[in-house]
Amino acid sequence: MAVDTNVLVRYLTWDDVAQAKAAAAAIEGGEIVAISSIVLCELVWVLKRAYRLSNTEIADAMQFVIESRNVDVDRPAAEVGLQMLRRGGDFADGIIWHDASRARCRHVATFDRALADLLGADHAVLLGATQR
């Protein structure tokens, strides 16, 4: 079975006990639980914006889920996303960099100075200055 973002949010936050119990049963009881990279990106956004968790708290929670015995994710992509998040960047930018690398692209073109700084001149082309 695959899970949506809201299932993971309930599982990690337990802010609605009934839904959290249902989410836990689905995740912990499933033979294989597929989680797409898009769902992981949405999860980070929700935990950061709605729950105001720190990058470290989010990364630790996601690591717990990703390492679960029955979870199937694009682990290399998730690991790059987690590395980016732990370095103060965006998880989604890590996924973008992973996908670019997998497509044999040496650079990511961006207007995002923070992303360009994290990737460095060897891997980013900053198209213009933006404020963050």
Side-chain angles (χ1 to χ4, degrees):
M1 137 179 58
V3 295
D4 189 13
T5 307
N6 52 25
V7 173
L8 289 175
V9 169
R10 294 291 92 71
Y11 182 65
L12 292 173
T13 65
W14 282 78
D15 61 349
D16 179 309
V17 175
Q19 287 186 358
K21 287 180 181 180
I27 292 169
E28 295 170 4
E31 189 171 319
I32 297 293
V33 178
I35 305 173
S36 75
S37 294
I38 292 170
V39 166
L40 293 177
C41 291
E42 288 181 343
L43 176 64
V44 171
W45 191 89
V46 170
L47 293 177
K48 186 176 284 196
R49 299 290 188 261
Y51 293 86
R52 301 190 186 280
L53 298 182
S54 71
N55 283 3
T56 301
E57 291 170 316
I58 295 168
D60 290 347
M62 291 181 64
Q63 194 80 47
F64 170 76
V65 171
I66 290 167
E67 291 179 354
S68 297
R69 64 164 177 74
N70 61 336
V71 169
D72 181 22
V73 297
D74 182 343
R75 288 186 194 276
E79 289 299 327
V80 174
L82 287 172
Q83 288 171 7
M84 186 74 75
L85 188 63
R86 290 185 192 280
R87 290 175 55 207
D90 292 329
F91 180 86
D93 287 342
I95 299 294
I96 290 167
W97 172 238
H98 176 268
D99 288 349
S101 298
R102 187 168 43 194
R104 296 188 204 102
C105 298
R106 290 185 49 224
H107 298 94
V108 171
T110 184
F111 292 106
D112 184 341
R113 183 176 301 281
L115 173 59
D117 289 346
L118 284 170
L119 291 178
D122 290 342
H123 301 297
V125 175
L126 185 62
L127 299 178
T130 60
Q131 292 183 342
R132 220 174 171 196

